[in-house]
Amino acid sequence: ERPSAAASGRDPLELLEHVFGYRAFRGPQQAIIESLVDGRDALVLMPTGGGKSLCYQIPALLRDGVGIVVSPLIALMQDQVEALRQLGVRAAFLNSSLEAREAFEVESQLLDGALDLLYVAPERLLTGRFLDLLEQAPIALFAIDEAHCVSQWGHDFRPEYRQLDVLHERWPAVPRIALTATADPRTREEIAERLGLRDAERFVSSFDRPNIRYRVEAKQNGRKQLLGFLDRHRGESGIVYCLSRKGVEATAEMLVGEGLNALPYHAGMPANERALNQRRFLREDGIVMVATIAFGMGIDKPDVRFVAHMNLPKSVEGYYQETGRAGRDGEAAEAWLCYGLQDVVLLSQMIQQGEAGDERKRIERGKLDALLGFAESTRCRRALLLGAFGEPFEGPCGNCDNCLEPPRTWDATAAAQQALSCVYRSGQRFGVAHLIDILRGSESDKLRQYGHDQLSTFGIGRDIDANRWRSLFRQLLAAGLLEVDAEGYGGLHLTAAARPLLRGEARFEARFEEVRRGRPGRDGAR
Ligand code: ADP
Ligand code: ZN
């Protein structure tokens, strides 16, 4: 039987050095540790890679009893426990991957006081049997990892997380720490509320990831653009996110065909294949993981050099989380988003046709709008991202596309008026492709069939090419002057905000969509 690693010192810094091999605490780590050691609750908001684990691992070693860590991620549990054991920490985990006999063994260790840290899945923790077992063991602290899983508005929602307030009821004297890298203020409040952490001390780190370069590009030929992007990252590890399973498979196949080391990952694949691909991504160099957002939560690979999005993510928080998997080692990394109007239409429809109630749909719609605003903005991307989390940052950051190559703008007032009146005159139910056909005066049967070749807006926008029109429509959507129909097929209608422009009382400044042709050199990612 190994003695507890805690025996090597009773001081946080000493443990940090002797057990974990680090010289100094990062950011708020020390304050958080002291708070828990003193028996106070803590709510920790720290970006991915910030060093959340030590915040409960060290106090668990310093306090009497075992630290109970609630984690929804089975794969991650295993990795953490292995790493801890190598450091001489007496750690174990309990989840559905264990055989009954192995689980029994861990439970005996728990009762014998032979554990410093025990990782447990929420559904197991919440069983009456396990809670009764816990009554018989001295507990150092409860750590609730990925605490945003308590939020039913997030995409990681875990209903069991909502019952975790039982910990406070049954062990009021045991300090609790909730940790998350999800920063939006709304989720923050929900965590505090749901987990009974209103009075917990809050530790909010800066969410800036200065080494990540943000870029957003309008989609024209997605495949070609992706290949151009990957060209800048030859031989590097990275993730390419697609919206659908089909998109994942097609993209992975295409990349393999181009000679790239790409692997697919989505929830529809057999579990063993998925696990294999994930393991290869973690252990091998230079793999491009093509995945849905099912991939990534809890992935701790420090040298992910890029995260590409081939579709619009669902929210700014999601985008931040997903791109946050790049550059955890602090070295230069790139987050690249390539999106088109079709994404907006598709996501709008997914929301409208989803099962969620009206209130939730309204929130999801708002999140999508915010992300669209981010994508179309000419402001510093970093300032926009951090602003969404309530963190003041003026910019320019010097490390995003808008700062590096300030977008040119043009006075699009007249064109915007034409676009809006075209929407109005055609009955506010047609999609962008059809509207552009009207504006550019295309000869098509569909147009004639609807009599749209007779409209006063027919052909008035011939001098503007289709790409420029698409870009303008996106910007009108982002500015909230147009909306995608709730039901139906991507039709657009005007909002009240369009009125001043139509009446000639407002101007509309639009960004020029630069078509990036050349392939920038390697220093482009510095
Ligand atoms: P998070 O859970 O916030 O994403 P982790 O706890 O996994 O972050 O820590 C991220 C990385 O930083 C890990 O490799 C960890 O060992 C390292 N780390 C954490 N704290 C320190 C520190 N004080 N000094 C050096 N490295 C640290
Ligand atoms: Zn910037």
Side-chain angles (χ1 to χ4, degrees):
E1 183 94 339
R2 252 190 312 215
S4 167
S8 60
R10 303 298 295 180
D11 165 76
L13 192 59
E14 223 176 311
L15 278 185
L16 180 73
E17 288 179 2
H18 290 128
V19 178
F20 297 94
Y22 297 132
R23 288 245 200 78
F25 284 111
R26 262 194 207 158
Q29 280 176 332
Q30 181 157 12
I32 297 166
I33 290 166
E34 281 167 4
S35 185
L36 279 170
V37 169
D38 290 347
R40 292 191 300 272
D41 295 339
L43 177 52
V44 173
L45 301 119
M46 208 186 264
T48 305
K52 285 185 283 300
S53 324
L54 285 180
C55 297
Y56 55 82
Q57 288 168 346
I58 289 183
L61 292 175
L62 287 170
R63 286 177 62 90
D64 284 337
V66 57
I68 304 292
V69 186
V70 186
S71 167
L73 302 161
I74 293 186
L76 189 69
M77 260 186 221
Q78 217 151 319
D79 289 350
Q80 288 235 10
V81 166
E82 258 169 49
L84 285 168
R85 282 186 180 155
Q86 271 174 14
L87 299 172
V89 176
R90 303 176 308 167
F93 63 86
L94 272 177
N95 60 41
S96 54
S97 77
L98 292 187
E99 313 230 330
R101 196 179 42 78
E102 295 171 305
F104 181 74
E105 176 77 13
V106 172
E107 289 173 4
S108 315
Q109 289 174 332
L110 171 68
L111 293 178
D112 292 345
L115 289 177
D116 299 314
L117 279 157
L118 176 58
Y119 287 75
V120 57
E123 56 277 8
R124 160 122 13 190
L125 173 82
L126 289 166
T127 59
R129 191 178 152 279
F130 188 76
L131 290 171
D132 289 343
L133 206 67
L134 274 187
E135 296 273 10
Q136 301 166 53
I139 298 172
L141 57 86
F142 289 109
I144 302 166
D145 208 2
E146 312 285 353
H148 59 277
C149 290
V150 84
S151 166
Q152 62 172 313
W153 309 121
H155 49 70
D156 298 326
F157 177 50
R158 297 281 183 128
E160 313 89 50
Y161 261 66
R162 303 212 137 196
Q163 298 161 40
L164 288 175
D165 52 352
V166 70
L167 299 177
H168 184 48
E169 282 153 27
R170 283 179 71 162
W171 290 272
V174 174
R176 291 170 305 144
I177 175 173
L179 312 102
T180 180
T182 297
D184 68 301
R186 185 192 181 102
T187 310
R188 224 180 270 186
E189 294 319 313
E190 219 181 335
I191 293 171
E193 188 67 43
R194 284 284 168 174
L195 295 176
L197 288 168
R198 279 257 156 262
D199 300 325
E201 205 169 332
R202 286 197 192 189
F203 298 91
V204 183
S205 299
S206 169
F207 275 71
D208 187 17
R209 300 286 308 280
N211 58 317
I212 298 182
R213 173 170 299 180
Y214 299 98
R215 283 189 183 281
V216 182
E217 237 174 73
K219 196 185 291 175
Q220 270 141 32
N221 179 335
R223 290 180 167 211
K224 215 155 145 196
Q225 284 168 285
L226 176 62
L227 287 171
F229 169 77
L230 293 176
D231 230 22
R232 302 208 292 268
H233 295 278
R234 286 259 158 205
E236 296 176 349
S237 303
I239 307 172
V240 176
Y241 281 113
C242 301
L243 188 60
S244 66
R245 297 171 183 186
K246 241 168 71 187
V248 165
E249 276 165 11
T251 305
E253 218 164 279
M254 186 273 289
L255 293 180
V256 169
E258 294 286 334
L260 280 118
N261 204 355
L263 296 174
Y265 187 106
H266 60 70
M269 285 163 57
N272 58 337
E273 220 170 288
R274 221 170 20 182
L276 178 70
N277 287 357
Q278 169 163 334
R279 213 162 32 238
R280 286 192 55 195
F281 177 72
L282 292 175
R283 312 244 155 108
E284 294 172 28
D285 282 336
I287 287 189
V288 178
M289 189 64 119
V290 186
T292 60
I293 54 169
F295 178 75
M297 192 189 181
I299 292 290
D300 184 12
K301 183 174 171 65
D303 59 345
V304 175
R305 291 273 69 81
F306 62 87
V307 171
H309 280 86
M310 291 307 290
N311 302 94
L312 206 61
K314 294 194 174 92
S315 66
V316 174
E317 302 89 64
Y319 178 69
Y320 178 84
Q321 287 279 330
E322 287 142 32
T323 55
R325 288 164 193 146
R328 291 181 67 167
D329 55 8
E331 300 288 317
E334 192 171 12
W336 182 76
L337 165 60
C338 181
Y339 89 102
L341 254 182
Q342 200 47 40
D343 296 337
V344 183
V345 171
L346 201 69
L347 285 171
S348 303
Q349 288 171 347
M350 278 169 66
I351 292 170
Q352 293 308 336
Q353 291 158 15
E355 316 262 87
D358 285 348
E359 162 75 353
R360 180 172 184 156
K361 282 182 177 169
R362 203 179 51 74
I363 289 170
E364 287 186 354
R365 209 30 271 179
K367 287 184 171 195
L368 179 57
D369 289 344
L371 188 62
L372 192 60
F374 165 82
E376 288 296 336
S377 177
T378 53
R379 279 185 63 205
C380 170
R381 309 277 184 200
R382 198 173 307 276
L384 292 164
L385 278 179
L386 293 175
F389 300 146
E391 187 175 333
F393 179 86
E394 280 302 311
C397 73
N399 198 24
C400 74
D401 54 356
N402 285 346
C403 286
L404 290 164
E405 302 109 31
R408 290 182 299 138
T409 58
W410 57 295
D411 181 354
T413 307
Q417 285 166 341
Q418 293 174 350
L420 295 174
S421 68
C422 184
V423 170
Y424 182 72
R425 290 181 193 285
S426 56
Q428 311 205 52
R429 60 200 178 91
F430 289 90
V432 173
H434 187 85
L435 293 164
I436 294 177
D437 277 349
I438 301 176
L439 286 162
R440 294 191 32 83
S442 296
E443 303 292 328
S444 90
D445 290 343
K446 190 178 167 203
L447 247 61
R448 264 192 298 274
Q449 202 180 309
Y450 285 108
H452 288 168
D453 53 346
Q454 305 300 315
L455 294 177
S456 60
T457 47
F458 181 78
I460 55 170
R462 272 201 186 91
D463 50 333
I464 295 178
D465 71 25
N467 273 337
R468 177 93 75 91
W469 275 122
R470 263 193 292 278
S471 166
L472 184 58
F473 273 107
R474 275 201 317 273
Q475 296 183 61
L476 290 169
L477 270 163
L481 274 54
L482 288 174
E483 261 174 10
V484 179
D485 292 347
E487 63 290 326
Y489 310 93
L492 298 181
H493 58 260
L494 303 177
T495 69
R499 251 176 251 145
L501 190 68
L502 277 169
R503 284 204 221 100
E505 295 162 6
R507 285 175 9 91
F508 195 80
E509 199 74 22
R511 73 183 284 158
F512 252 120
E513 215 64 69
E514 317 274 356
V515 182
R516 292 205 177 84
R517 283 210 180 77
R519 291 179 162 179
R522 286 290 284 104
D523 63 347
R526 206 45 28 123

